[in-house]
Structures are given as structure tokens and as C-alpha cells.
Amino acid sequence: MSAKPFYITTAISYVNGVPHLGHAYEMILTDVMARFQRLDGRDVMFLTGTDEHGEKVAKTAEKNGMSAKEFADQNAAAFEATTKTLAISNDDFIRTTQERHYKASQAIWKKLEENGDIYLGKYEGWYSVREEGYFSEDELRESEDGTKFTPNGTPVEWVEESSYFFKLSNYTEKLLQYYEAHPRFIQPETRRNEIIAFVKQGLRDLSVSRHKDRLQWGIPVPNDPDHVMYVWLDALTNYITGVGYPDVESEAFKKYWPAQYHVIGKDIIRFHAVYWPAFLMAAGLQQPEAIFAHGFINVQGEKMSKSIGNVLSPDGLVETYGLDQTRYFLMREIPHGQDGNFSHERAVERINADLANGLGNLAQRTLSMIHKNCDESIPSPGELTADDRVLIDEAYNVVNLARDEFEQFKIHRALEHIWKIVAAANGYIDAQAPWTLRKEDPARMQTVLYVLAETIRCLAILVQPVTPHAAAEMLDQLNIPEDQRSFAHLNEKNALKPGTKIEKPEGVFPRIAMDEAA
């Protein structure tokens, strides 16, 4: 496979709240891609972290009787803990309050300024504190009491202040040309169309600072202590901070930039697909290969809301369903780039059907029969029948189908292909009935059990990105060495060796009772 390094990032999480299901989904989605690429032989850099400056953080900290730094430290720790809870395999966790990030953000500011793309002016316009952005009059809607709201439903206020501006208007045609030349830059297609339509309306220059009289919690503007940097120029820069910017000659920067994927929520697509590429163009830096915008997750069909009381925490999900089960459900159930729905009933149904009754039951009954009837060792197969060969060949080759789906970030489709093999193997064991062969044809029984064990080896290797702990347990039960668990080992050359001792197997996916408290 390609030896080209693979750099992938999540959006950095805003610290004015604690982690919830939406954060968990994005972390897991990105983690599964990172793990898949590592197993496919690529050198992966995976970055996640926290966005800690801005007016929202300052105001929320004040309400909680804390300094902005204390509040940011507290919630950043919660997000970092969540990466451990969810078994996220990030290589780095960036915080925008780190010294390295101050250095990178001020360096890119200076670069934009040197190129003539930043100037001091005055801003008048509608501003959303929650979204940290300005909106034009025609983008807003108005309630009966006269309050104006953004398209996402957050209130705006009229603001007049001195501000530095980035000449975003100069990049309208450059961006449109770039989108045309790079059709995979914005994914999925619906988001690409949305951004192109927005840019075609013409771009206005972008306010990129806040005066200290309004906001002090931010990165100081170089050579002007009266201003701090606008949170999006600060925040977006994290993607290059994480690989060593401003040292563009560093080993990490030369190896990993440009990123293959920024994985973000659809609500921040404009910042990533318009502002960020314009900043990079102005700074003379390469563009990321793709920006993938995922959808939102509703709970029981409703948007998550504190007032409704349906905000799900990552800790609660793992406690209720299990870590690998939670990861699998989110990856299998939510389609490519679309909104999804989480319900307790559907989670239990999917987990029990696919994991407990599907892959888990297949592994448990196969390995138990081998342990009991084959001297606790992998049996020696006889000549394979056509049915045997079909199942094993499908197990070897499904990685190619999965790879094609991962290329398009269609993880749910990749899992569909893999679970067709699970279904085929369960059909095979029922049709071959090794429990009957044990008395009637012991040699054939050994062949059938070998074919099943080899299929399980392949399946366990394939599901490692999604269910890392359970997959490792299955591979341990088959006594597969740690250095023989990559996709390069999905072939006959690396097949199970007859006579290999195995321990008494234990189930890896227990069934969940429907009435278990959610």
C-alpha cells in the first residue's frame, strides 16, 4: 500500500461546555479512519484538541466565578479525558492556550500582514457571541419581539468597534477556481454545493481581531496590544501548529502537511472551507486535501438540548453499552455525512444483532468447539471444498471493498461489507454443522472449524479500527502475535498454523437487555 503519510484532524472542541455525544461521534469517526490507515501500512498523524479563547469562554467563566484560564483548564481536561474513555488513538492533543500555538498564530498573522492582506478598520454589524461570527442582514431571521437570529438559531447583537480585517473579498474567484479544480476538497457533495453557492454571492472582508475593551481573552495581535486575534484565525491555525508551524522546514511539517482530512461538523463548514483556505492561500501554504463535514446526531428524534434533558455524555454511553459497542453503533448507524439518530431501542437492537448474536456468537461457538474437540489447538484442515474456499476468499478480499469505502469516508458501508462475511460465516457453520460432523466425519469437522477460525482471524483484523478492544481479545484467543495483525496479513500466506494452542475462549460481546437503564 501507499507509504504516503496520512494526517487527519478533528475540529478542536470549544471549552465553554463539556463533552457530549456529538463530540464523541466526531472523535470516533476520525479515530476509526486513523486506525484503518495505520493498519493499511501508512504513517499516521492524528490531531485533536481544544479551542479555548473567545468571548463565549470569557463570559461563561465569569458566570462560574472563575478566570478564563481556570475555566479553560477545567474543561480542556474533560475533553482530554474523553479521548481516553473512547479509546481515541490521537498522536497529539493541542490546546490553543499553549505557547507553541501562540507562536504559530502570531506567525501566520505576520505573514498575512506582510502580504498586504490585513488592514486596520472599523466594524459595524450583527455579531453572534455563541457562533463567534458576524452575519449580514439578509442571513438573519427575526422573532416577534424583534430579536434577530442566525440561520442556526443563535441571537445576534449589533456591534461597532475598531478591528483588523483580512481581505477575504480578494479571494472570491481564487476560491471558486480552487473548488472547481479540486472537486473532492469539500465533502460530501451537498456541503460543496452549499459553499460554492455562498462564495458566488461575493465575499466581504473578514474581521480578524477584537479590541481589548471588548475582549482580552485571546492571543495578542503582533505589534498591537490593544487587539486580540479573532477566535477563528487563532483556532484554525491549530492544524498547522500541530505539525510544527511556523517551522515549515521541520521534519513533521514537511512529512505531514498538507493534511488529508479535516473532520468537522456541518455547522462550521464555512469557516473551514472558505476562511481557512483563504488564510492558507494568503500565507503561501498548501491546502488540506479534503474537508469532511459530518451531520448532527439527534436523540430519540429530537435535537440534543439541556432543556429537554436528552444530552448524552460519552461516559454514560460507555457505561451503558460498552466502549466497543458504542463505537460500532455510531459508525454503523449514521450514514456518510448525514444526520443520524440515537435511540436506546435501536442501539440495543443493533448491538445485540450485529455484535452479540453476529460476530461474538460466531467466534464463541467456533473457538469453544475447537478448544473442546481439537486438543485445544487450531485443527489441521483437509482438502477445501468450493464452499470452504468461497468463504475464506471473501474474508481475504473484503478489505479491498472496505478500502474503497474508506476512500470516500463511507465507514458505514465498509462495515456493511464486513458484516456480510459475518453473516456468511454464520450461515456456513449452520449448514456444515460441525457438531454433527464430530461423530460422523471428524476429519471434515476439523476442516470446517479451521475455515471458520481463519475467517474469524480475518474479521478480527478488519474490525480493529471500530472495536479495538474486542478485536484484540479475539486475536489473543487465536494466539495471533501483535506484529501479525495488519491488513497486510489478510492472506493465505499468513493463515493460521495448525497445532497452535488456544486458551479457553470467553465471549467478547455480551447481550444487552432492552430494559437496561439508558
Side-chain angles (χ1 to χ4, degrees):
M1 285 307 298
S2 169
K4 181 182 177 183
F6 187 87
Y7 179 30
I8 187 168
T9 75
T10 65
I12 49 175
S13 301
Y14 207 50
V15 296
N16 73 315
V18 294
H20 56 63
L21 173 60
H23 298 112
Y25 174 65
E26 182 169 298
M27 285 183 185
I28 294 167
L29 180 67
T30 312
D31 179 65
V32 169
M33 178 63 87
R35 288 176 180 271
F36 187 94
Q37 298 299 335
R38 289 192 195 101
L39 287 164
D40 217 13
R42 296 180 76 170
D43 175 359
V44 172
M45 172 65 185
F46 172 18
L47 180 70
T48 190
T50 45
D51 179 8
E52 302 181 26
H53 294 124
E55 197 168 355
K56 275 189 295 188
V57 172
K59 287 187 173 182
T60 310
E62 188 176 349
K63 286 179 185 176
N64 284 273
M66 304 170 73
S67 71
K69 182 64 165 66
E70 289 170 337
F71 184 72
D73 286 346
Q74 172 185 284
N75 283 355
F79 280 97
E80 193 154 12
T82 296
T83 65
K84 308 296 189 292
T85 299
L86 298 174
I88 306 303
S89 62
N90 53 296
D91 299 288
D92 195 358
F93 188 96
I94 191 165
R95 296 183 57 188
T96 57
T97 49
Q98 291 170 339
E99 183 180 349
R100 60 172 171 163
H101 185 66
Y102 271 59
K103 182 179 177 183
S105 297
Q106 292 181 324
I108 197 170
W109 178 286
K110 290 176 183 175
K111 194 76 174 174
L112 303 186
E113 198 169 40
E114 287 167 9
N115 291 344
D117 278 305
I118 286 182
Y119 64 92
L120 183 62
K122 183 180 179 183
Y123 193 85
E124 297 181 345
W126 295 104
Y127 180 71
S128 165
V129 172
R130 193 180 305 175
E131 297 185 50
E132 299 280 8
Y134 286 99
F135 293 83
S136 62
E137 189 80 41
D138 58 4
E139 290 181 281
L140 304 176
R141 57 183 177 82
E142 191 170 323
S143 65
E144 291 182 3
D145 66 1
T147 304
K148 293 182 183 293
F149 294 91
T150 73
N152 290 323
T154 63
V156 293
E157 59 188 50
W158 184 259
V159 171
E160 298 181 18
E161 64 180 349
S162 148
S163 173
Y164 282 93
F165 286 82
F166 171 72
K167 292 181 181 178
L168 186 63
S169 58
N170 286 356
Y171 290 87
T172 301
E173 289 305 317
K174 293 176 184 176
L175 287 168
L176 290 172
Q177 289 168 11
Y178 192 83
Y179 303 150
E180 179 68 25
H182 301 84
R184 294 187 70 253
F185 180 63
I186 304 170
Q187 302 175 26
E189 187 73 15
T190 52
R191 302 296 158 223
R192 169 180 157 81
N193 295 338
E194 172 189 315
I195 289 300
I196 289 174
F198 173 75
V199 176
K200 279 183 175 178
Q201 296 173 23
L203 298 172
R204 298 183 304 159
D205 289 352
L206 178 70
S207 170
V208 288
S209 76
R210 298 290 178 266
H211 194 275
K212 69 175 184 180
D213 290 344
R214 176 178 175 82
L215 179 66
Q216 296 183 17
W217 178 237
I219 298 176
V221 167
N223 305 317
D224 190 346
D226 285 342
H227 288 260
V228 295
M229 291 173 61
Y230 168 55
V231 69
W232 279 106
L233 178 53
D234 157 8
L236 291 163
T237 300
N238 93 89
Y239 302 128
I240 51 177
T241 304
V243 288
Y245 188 82
D247 185 359
V248 295
E249 295 302 318
S250 68
E251 180 182 349
F253 194 87
K254 289 198 288 187
K255 180 192 287 189
Y256 295 116
W257 190 258
Q260 274 58 56
Y261 275 107
H262 293 321
V263 180
I264 61 165
K266 65 180 183 179
D267 56 328
I268 53 175
I269 184 69
R270 184 186 302 178
F271 304 104
H272 285 79
V274 181
Y275 300 173
W276 181 226
F279 294 155
L280 291 170
M281 287 177 182
L285 298 172
Q286 285 182 276
Q287 300 293 333
E289 289 186 11
I291 295 157
F292 178 77
H294 60 79
F296 294 153
I297 304 179
N298 295 322
V299 176
Q300 302 289 142
E302 293 187 283
K303 186 177 179 180
M304 278 192 291
S305 165
K306 290 180 182 177
S307 59
I308 296 174
N310 66 347
V311 178
L312 300 181
S313 76
D315 288 346
L317 290 168
V318 171
E319 185 178 339
T320 301
Y321 304 106
L323 170 57
D324 283 358
Q325 291 88 336
T326 298
R327 288 172 60 102
Y328 177 80
F329 176 79
L330 293 174
M331 294 301 97
R332 180 67 180 79
E333 197 71 14
I334 300 175
H336 167 80
Q338 297 177 34
D339 290 349
N341 186 56
F342 188 99
S343 75
H344 177 60
E345 293 75 20
R346 184 61 183 151
V348 172
E349 180 182 317
R350 172 68 77 182
I351 289 166
N352 283 342
D354 291 10
L355 299 181
N357 298 342
L359 180 56
N361 185 48
L362 173 69
Q364 176 70 5
R365 58 179 174 162
T366 299
L367 300 187
S368 293
M369 280 203 72
I370 290 174
H371 190 267
K372 183 177 180 180
N373 300 295
C374 302
D375 194 29
E376 302 178 6
S377 304
I378 299 297
S380 296
E383 187 174 343
L384 300 186
T385 67
D387 287 344
D388 301 338
R389 179 51 61 191
V390 164
L391 181 59
I392 283 186
D393 285 348
E394 286 180 345
Y396 289 155
N397 295 325
V398 72
V399 67
N400 296 317
L401 298 175
R403 190 179 289 122
D404 289 344
E405 301 294 2
F406 266 81
E407 280 292 315
Q408 302 173 70
F409 231 116
K410 295 182 178 179
I411 292 172
H412 69 295
R413 291 291 303 276
L415 292 175
E416 284 179 23
H417 292 303
I418 294 168
W419 252 259
K420 284 179 182 176
I421 309 302
V422 174
N426 274 310
Y428 172 89
I429 193 173
D430 290 340
Q432 299 293 331
W435 45 86
T436 301
L437 292 171
R438 183 169 61 88
K439 294 180 180 178
E440 298 178 356
D441 191 345
R444 177 60 188 160
M445 176 201 72
Q446 291 202 35
T447 301
V448 168
L449 291 177
Y450 179 87
V451 168
L452 286 164
E454 176 65 356
T455 301
I456 291 163
R457 177 185 76 89
C458 295
L459 289 169
I461 288 173
L462 287 161
V463 300
Q464 287 177 101
V466 183
T467 60
H469 291 106
E473 287 182 41
M474 284 190 280
L475 292 166
D476 288 346
Q477 290 177 15
L478 287 167
N479 213 355
I480 306 299
E482 292 275 353
D483 62 355
Q484 294 178 26
R485 299 183 178 189
S486 74
F487 295 158
H489 297 96
L490 292 168
N491 50 47
E492 193 168 355
K493 177 183 175 183
N494 292 283
L496 290 167
K497 293 179 173 57
T500 301
K501 286 287 184 180
I502 66 169
E503 299 295 325
K504 185 176 181 179
E506 295 182 3
V508 295
F509 293 119
R511 280 185 59 82
I512 299 174
M514 182 62 79
D515 60 356
E516 188 171 324

